[in-house]
Amino acid sequence: MNNLDKFLEYLKTANFDALMLNSRDEFLDEFTPEHLNRLKLLTGFSGSNGIAIISNKIKAFFTDGRYLEQARNELDKKFKIYDLKKTPVNKWIIAKFPQKTKIAYDSRAFTVFEIRQAIKILQEHGIKLYRVTENPVDTVLGSTFPQVKIIEILDEKYSGMSTKDKIAANPFLAPLTGKQAFFTCDTASICWLLNIRGHDTKYTPLLHSYFIYNKKLSFLFCDINKLTDEHKQYFEELKVEIIALANIANFANICKTNKIRQVYLDPHYVGYCFYSALVKQEIDVIKITDPVIVQKSIKNNTEISGARQAHILDGIAKTKSLYWLSNHTAIEKLDEITIADKLLSFRKENPEFIHPSFQTISAFAENGSIIHYHADQNSNKKLDKNSILLIDSGGQYKCGTTDITRTVAIGEEIAVEHKRNFTLVLKGHIALATAIFPSYTTGIQLDVLARQYLWQEFKDFEHGTSHGIGSFLNVHEGPQNISKNYNGVHLKAGMILSNEPGIYINGKYGIRIENVVLVNAETDGFFSFETISLVPLDEKLIDFSLLTSKEKNWLKNYHQKIYDNLSSNLSQDIQDWLLNKIKLYQ
């Protein structure tokens, strides 16, 4: 009996009718650890954004455009799959379930915003969301606990600022005292503010924790076994009291006992259970935009220098891997996993490399059309025909986090269609990379620059053009992004984002060109992007007849920058290989 069948047997005797389950855990992280990934355990879905509604009669799955094809490949055929953009979950529930239906959910894994919105819609139709104290998947399948790993304090040579200075520079946190406090479940914000890093997720150095801040009294809920005496002294100096993670259920009581009467929180980054507990204790909840997330999105000078250094280190490894691939004598014997492993070996040559920033996407031919594809022993393809290989990867270094995608031609015969689509994506990439824009510009206003050449041929891609990137933290960081969706966040100097247009032809291939860019201030309130990724492009996929002289000049200057920054750490053969690329764009 598989996990889904076990759960359905359990559901027959449960005191609720259906389960709503998402891909997040109780710490709301993007990369959920295997032992906390209840959605994957129950459905097999391995993506980072999914919601399942499961009853004995109905099995539905909702995800965004990045994961639709992946969901079709991974889910049990019992599930009907929906596009979140086209089919909102709450409206679907109303259409499918009768009045008095009780749908269970883990209120730790859904945010205040999500549940308050759902309650408002569902209660009008007599459908109740039923909070459970223990996740039903844990009840059926049990829980496992990984090995405890000690945290580390991030030196100021990497962070650029002490915790005290970060708080002093934050206009919201600095004066917060008395009966008021700020609360967050966002582990990246907690780690950034406290200058600590942990080992609780596979690709991001996070400590599973919760934090409540007040100028005179602060609490960090975490596993005390992950702290040494040195850590405890560090937190004592910061006036942060450590409370065992097991006591998080008493969170609201602890607030009330310590005479906290108002708690500020961001409803998008706090689990609903905490909001509910505060309300029950008659503590005022004031909804705000998380001031730490906003603050850490604008990198300080040390973080900016670190990001540049991280991309030099990572560029060396990625350039070596592309050169190795281009000169492999028996390329038809290579496969997706071998290529990903070889790239990892080049990264490991540098002692400053810690681990990947996400699972490498090494996708050949039709696998490349799955936007967030990950090769396994069943799907692993050999490079056995003329097609396209997409490699999306990144690294974690103490000085910064990287994310880079390159698409390369495999085989002797390059299809006209491949070259045209690659060049349309490239033109959009260059248009965004060279954009000049004024103050108060949001990402949605720039998104068309990356899509314009695809749109002219009635083509598009189903993911955002850009996401923020952390400093030795999340490879996907908010609040800044560039996409079709308005988020109201103005791009500011010091923000770091990706630039990654693409195109995906279902069942055939995928193309994506991704660099990381830094927002720089220009004159008179205008801004520009500085590309800090340093990895060559595959000129074999470029249709030069479609490029303007300005675009060719950008390519020449970009490859010259790669050569200038990396050549001293590369062999003469690779240096010559890069110089030949520069000559192509004269």
Side-chain angles (χ1 to χ4, degrees):
M1 183 181 291
N2 62 30
N3 288 345
L4 179 60
D5 289 337
K6 288 179 185 177
F7 178 77
L8 292 174
E9 283 296 312
Y10 161 80
L11 192 56
K12 292 176 183 177
T13 59
N15 59 349
F16 54 87
D17 304 303
L19 173 68
M20 181 168 68
L21 185 67
N22 65 7
S23 48
R24 294 194 302 264
D25 58 24
E26 52 267 43
F27 303 99
L28 306 180
D29 297 328
E30 178 184 10
F31 297 124
T32 306
E34 290 290 319
H35 70 287
L36 296 177
N37 196 336
R38 287 98 175 180
L39 186 66
K40 183 177 179 182
L41 289 170
L42 206 57
T43 69
F45 178 73
S46 62
S48 65
N49 185 27
I51 298 175
I53 307 291
I54 301 170
S55 73
N56 276 303
K57 292 183 178 180
I58 296 173
K59 291 150 197 74
F61 191 87
F62 303 80
T63 190
D64 61 63
R66 297 172 299 165
Y67 293 114
L68 287 170
E69 190 171 349
Q70 181 176 332
R72 295 182 190 107
N73 292 336
E74 292 181 341
L75 289 173
D76 189 298
K77 300 303 179 187
K78 296 174 184 175
F79 282 93
K80 186 168 183 180
I81 298 167
Y82 297 90
D83 185 338
L84 275 168
K85 187 168 67 174
K86 299 176 181 178
T87 310
V89 176
N90 295 324
K91 289 185 178 180
W92 178 91
I93 289 173
I94 291 168
K96 295 294 182 180
F97 288 99
Q99 289 189 359
K100 298 184 179 181
T101 296
K102 289 201 302 184
I103 301 176
Y105 73 101
D106 185 341
S107 60
R108 302 168 301 170
F110 286 87
T111 67
V112 177
F113 175 80
E114 290 168 330
I115 296 304
R116 282 179 61 82
Q117 186 181 56
I119 289 173
K120 182 178 180 181
I121 295 172
L122 298 179
Q123 278 188 342
E124 293 178 0
H125 294 80
I127 295 172
K128 181 182 178 182
L129 286 181
Y130 182 82
R131 272 191 293 136
V132 290
T133 54
E134 184 177 357
N135 193 296
V137 179
D138 295 346
T139 302
V140 175
L141 304 181
S143 302
T144 58
F145 301 94
Q147 178 185 358
V148 171
K149 294 184 179 180
I150 302 299
I151 70 164
E152 65 178 294
I153 299 168
L154 190 67
D155 195 284
E156 278 187 48
K157 71 179 182 180
Y158 299 113
S159 68
M161 296 177 72
S162 69
T163 293
K164 290 180 180 178
D165 288 342
K166 288 179 178 180
I167 290 172
N170 189 302
F172 182 85
L173 295 182
L176 199 61
T177 189
K179 297 180 180 181
Q180 299 177 319
F182 166 71
F183 177 66
T184 183
C185 301
D186 187 76
T187 51
S189 290
I190 296 167
C191 287
W192 180 85
L193 185 65
L194 298 178
N195 283 338
I196 57 175
R197 297 296 186 270
H199 305 276
D200 290 344
T201 61
K202 190 171 183 180
Y203 301 110
T204 311
L206 300 175
L207 171 68
H208 280 163
S209 54
Y210 305 98
F211 184 59
I212 186 159
Y213 173 78
N214 174 291
K215 194 172 185 179
K216 293 184 178 179
L217 189 68
S218 296
F219 302 106
L220 177 67
F221 295 83
C222 68
D223 184 343
I224 296 176
N225 294 317
K226 296 171 184 175
L227 309 181
T228 65
D229 289 341
E230 178 190 358
H231 298 130
K232 292 172 184 176
Q233 182 180 348
Y234 171 76
F235 288 122
E236 188 176 332
E237 291 171 357
L238 292 175
K239 297 181 181 179
V240 174
E241 183 179 336
I242 304 299
I243 299 180
L245 191 58
N247 290 326
I248 191 62
N250 299 318
F251 156 76
N253 287 328
I254 291 170
C255 289
K256 191 168 186 177
T257 301
N258 286 279
K259 299 181 180 179
I260 293 172
R261 294 293 177 262
Q262 285 186 329
V263 172
Y264 294 87
L265 57 81
D266 189 327
H268 294 89
Y269 295 97
V270 170
Y272 183 77
C273 64
F274 299 106
Y275 168 83
S276 177
L278 290 168
V279 171
K280 189 175 181 180
Q281 289 293 337
E282 298 182 341
I283 295 173
D284 291 337
V285 176
I286 303 172
K287 302 180 194 69
I288 59 168
T289 298
D290 190 314
V292 182
I293 289 176
V294 173
Q295 185 182 16
K296 76 180 171 67
S297 71
I298 301 173
K299 308 297 183 276
N300 60 50
N301 290 337
T302 299
E303 291 171 324
I304 290 170
S305 296
R308 289 196 176 103
Q309 178 63 14
H311 282 88
I312 289 173
L313 300 177
D314 212 57
I316 292 166
K318 186 73 189 231
T319 299
K320 284 180 178 179
S321 74
L322 291 176
Y323 178 77
W324 165 82
L325 182 62
S326 69
N327 285 274
H328 202 282
T329 55
I331 202 164
E332 71 281 355
K333 294 182 179 179
L334 297 177
D335 57 45
E336 294 166 335
I337 293 176
T338 301
I339 290 165
D341 289 345
K342 187 66 176 178
L343 172 55
L344 180 59
S345 73
F346 282 121
R347 283 196 168 107
K348 286 181 175 179
E349 288 179 0
N350 192 301
E352 295 189 51
F353 172 73
I354 297 173
H355 54 68
S357 56
F358 57 96
Q359 184 178 350
T360 295
I361 300 171
S362 175
F364 180 61
E366 59 266 34
N367 286 342
S369 67
I370 304 171
I371 295 172
H372 279 194
Y373 166 82
H374 299 298
D376 58 31
Q377 294 302 327
N378 294 322
S379 67
N380 187 26
K381 289 186 70 65
K382 285 191 173 184
L383 311 191
D384 55 2
K385 58 183 176 182
N386 296 314
S387 192
I388 291 176
L389 174 70
L390 186 154
I391 311 169
D392 186 353
S393 67
Q396 292 283 13
Y397 304 82
K398 284 190 178 180
C399 58
T401 300
T402 72
D403 186 3
I404 185 84
T405 307
R406 288 295 179 263
T407 307
V408 297
I410 301 298
E412 298 301 320
E413 299 178 15
I414 301 171
V416 172
E417 177 188 339
H418 291 168
K419 292 185 71 170
R420 186 170 190 86
N421 280 336
F422 182 91
T423 308
L424 295 176
V425 171
L426 175 62
K427 287 171 72 69
H429 179 96
I430 295 172
L432 185 58
T434 56
I436 303 292
F437 52 95
S439 301
Y440 303 105
T441 297
T442 60
I444 194 172
Q445 293 170 284
L446 299 176
D447 186 67
V448 66
L449 296 176
R451 298 177 191 267
Q452 58 183 311
Y453 301 104
L454 291 168
W455 283 358
Q456 288 171 12
E457 298 193 5
F458 308 101
K459 300 168 183 176
D460 201 3
F461 52 94
E462 291 295 324
H463 58 75
T465 298
S466 169
H467 57 81
I469 297 172
S471 293
F472 187 34
L473 277 172
N474 286 333
V475 72
H476 298 136
E477 175 183 274
Q480 73 275 25
N481 67 32
I482 299 172
S483 77
K484 295 178 182 178
N485 301 317
Y486 176 73
N487 70 355
V489 176
H490 302 139
L491 300 184
K492 297 178 181 179
M495 287 182 169
I496 293 178
L497 307 95
S498 65
N499 172 5
E500 52 178 307
I503 186 169
Y504 309 89
I505 308 303
N506 190 27
K508 292 184 177 180
Y509 61 87
I511 293 168
R512 184 158 65 250
I513 302 171
E514 179 183 18
N515 281 334
V516 171
V517 298
L518 167 70
V519 180
N520 283 331
E522 298 292 337
T523 59
D524 300 322
F526 279 78
F527 298 91
S528 66
F529 291 123
E530 173 194 344
T531 297
I532 60 175
S533 299
L534 297 166
V535 178
L537 296 158
D538 187 356
E539 70 280 355
K540 296 190 298 297
L541 279 169
I542 300 174
D543 182 344
F544 287 90
S545 69
L546 297 177
L547 298 181
T548 65
S549 58
K550 180 181 177 182
E551 290 164 341
K552 292 176 185 177
N553 193 52
W554 184 90
L555 286 166
K556 181 187 75 172
N557 291 336
Y558 177 61
H559 285 85
Q560 183 68 56
K561 182 179 179 181
I562 295 171
Y563 181 84
D564 292 344
N565 281 274
L566 306 187
S567 60
S568 62
N569 293 285
L570 299 172
S571 68
Q572 188 61 52
D573 287 347
I574 303 179
Q575 290 183 41
D576 293 341
W577 181 65
L578 287 174
L579 286 171
N580 286 332
K581 288 178 177 289
I582 296 170
K583 292 175 184 177
L584 289 169
Y585 308 116
Q586 300 295 344

